[in-house]
């Protein structure tokens, strides 16, 4: 129930900009989706479709995003400031969802 009623996920889904997420990465059991949001923000979903926990690291420039962002994990609430790179440990078959605000 907590997943279905997560206000941050609902806000991403119902963002007024109305843009669809685009898959930017589909390699080596990683899938990364980016969705533009209003106010120059983005939502990023990172899926580890592999059978082992792994660390995902990427420079935001490689995903087509320039500048520094405040990242917020919508599941845990963890926030990081001034990020130009993403680095997260992701369990097998787990998806993390982040919001990125300039």
């Amino acid at each position: 129930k907590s997943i279905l009623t997560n206000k941050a996920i609902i806000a991403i889904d119902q963002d007024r900009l109305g843009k669809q997420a685009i898959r930017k990465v589909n390699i080596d059991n990683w899938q990364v989706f980016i969705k533009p949001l209003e106010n120059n923000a983005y939502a990023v979903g990172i899926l580890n479709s592999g059978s082992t926990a792994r660390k995902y690291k990427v420079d935001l420039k490689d995903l087509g995003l320039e500048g520094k962002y405040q990242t917020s994990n919508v599941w845990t609430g963890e926030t990081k400031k001034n990020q130009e790179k993403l680095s997260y440990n992701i369990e097998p078959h787990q998806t993390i969802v982040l919001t990125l605000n300039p």
Side-chain angles (χ1 to χ4, degrees), residues 24-82:
K24 292 285 196 171
V25 174
N26 185 18
I27 189 166
D28 193 29
N29 291 319
W30 289 114
Q31 293 188 46
V32 178
F33 295 85
I34 298 180
K35 176 181 171 132
L37 303 173
E38 66 180 340
N39 300 322
N40 297 315
Y42 294 90
V44 176
I46 305 170
L47 166 65
N48 174 5
S49 60
S51 58
T52 59
R54 299 184 299 158
K55 182 171 244 174
Y56 185 77
K57 294 182 183 182
V58 67
D59 190 314
L60 290 173
K61 288 180 185 177
D62 294 337
L63 299 176
L65 303 176
E66 296 289 330
K68 294 182 180 182
Y69 293 86
Q70 175 177 303
T71 63
S72 296
N73 184 319
V74 301
W75 304 125
T76 66
E78 176 188 27
T79 299
K80 299 178 182 178
K81 295 183 179 184
N82 298 318

Side-chain angles (χ1 to χ4, degrees), residues 1-11 13 74-75 95 97:
K1 182 178 177 181
S2 65
I3 292 172
L4 295 174
T5 59
N6 182 300
K7 291 180 186 217
I9 289 291
I10 293 169
D13 177 63
V74 301
W75 304 125
T95 301
V97 179

